[in-house]
Amino acid sequence: MKHVPTFIAGILAAGVIGTAAIGDGHADKATLSAVKARQSLMSLQAFNIGLLGGMAKGDVEYDAAAASAAAGNLAALATMDQSRMWPPGSDNATLGDDVTEALPAIWSADSKIGADAMALAEATAALQAAAGEGLDALRGAIGPVGKACGSCHETYRQAKN
Amino acid sequence: MKHVPTFIAGILAAGVIGTAAIGDGHADKATLSAVKARQSLMSLQAFNIGLLGGMAKGDVEYDAAAASAAAGNLAALATMDQSRMWPPGSDNATLGDDVTEALPAIWSADSKIGADAMALAEATAALQAAAGEGLDALRGAIGPVGKACGSCHETYRQAKN
């Protein structure tokens, strides 16, 4: 989890190094690249949690090696340094809901996104250890990962209409 | 690099566990998810190598912490298990160039994609160690990463028209 503090620091310090969106409602290229990067990261998370969720629900046959690999990917993704992926001005109020669902609250002074990121890193590390140890172990460890995903999404993601 | 052999094994064994595209030219949802996952992975690689390349060229001011973070991300991405991301039938001949640029040669018996993946993992591990040690160290270590990217793309990616 060594990158998590960097992630938090990155969010907080982003005002210094971040590339802000241009004020006329159009985002600059660097901002859109950052949005694309974090969306790519979440797409990879969804791809891996999707398999594990399918196994946990019984929709996909449990396979220890595949479960372990997917959980290992989630753990690796959770430790990635995301500081450049969340520049100020990359929220949905600035860029529009069609570009990003990231709410401005992410960048607020009392943002809990660092704690959410840490919870996800801890939950995925536990899932990585458990996923290959049988279906019951997988089922026991996947809940906290889903909870970490949901906690962040409920607070910091624009709800779908 | 513990995941690299899994990646290779995944490609070779994909005929057993992979989800093939439907024969009428339309891909099934699982195949498209796999394509999206690998494209997301490459998008994240591009986002991180982009910063490091910018520093190496002098377009972006060298920053040891940022360079180290980006190189760490590349190293983490290179060790991810990609076995589910390359199911048979997810090549451009099957899905079309608008869906994927992945050439069928990736899945051929003499495919060198496993060796390319291993070269990338080794090069990114070396870059991770060097990136924070000064601009000269970064410049010395980024070449092999670019070479590994290029080697795979030249052989296994559809050339742009």
Side-chain angles (χ1 to χ4, degrees), chain A residues 37 40 43-44 47 69 73 81 84, chain B residues 37 40 43-44 47 69 73 81:
Chain A
S40 295
S43 177
L44 278 170
F47 182 72
N73 285 349
D81 187 307
R84 288 175 59 234
Chain B
S40 295
S43 176
L44 277 170
F47 182 72
N73 285 348
D81 188 306

Side-chain angles (χ1 to χ4, degrees), chain B residues 63-82:
Chain B
D63 178 293
S68 193
N73 285 348
L74 286 174
L77 290 166
T79 58
M80 277 186 63
D81 188 306
Q82 298 187 37

Side-chain angles (χ1 to χ4, degrees), chain A residues 2-3 6 30 33-34 36-41 43-44 47-48 51 69-70 72-73 76-77 79-82 84-85 128, chain B residues 2-3 6 30 33-34 36-41 43-44 47-48 51 69-70 72-73 76-77 79-82 84-85 128:
Chain A
K2 70 189 169 79
H3 284 306
T6 313
S33 291
K36 184 180 177 186
R38 70 199 191 204
Q39 289 174 345
S40 295
L41 178 56
S43 177
L44 278 170
F47 182 72
N48 286 286
L51 177 70
N73 285 349
L77 291 167
T79 59
M80 277 186 63
D81 187 307
Q82 298 187 37
R84 288 175 59 234
M85 300 182 194
Q128 181 178 25
Chain B
K2 69 190 170 78
H3 284 305
T6 313
S33 290
K36 184 180 177 186
R38 71 199 191 205
Q39 289 174 345
S40 295
L41 178 55
S43 176
L44 277 170
F47 182 72
N48 286 286
L51 177 70
N73 285 348
L77 290 166
T79 58
M80 277 186 63
D81 188 306
Q82 298 187 37
R84 289 176 56 236
M85 299 181 195
Q128 182 178 24

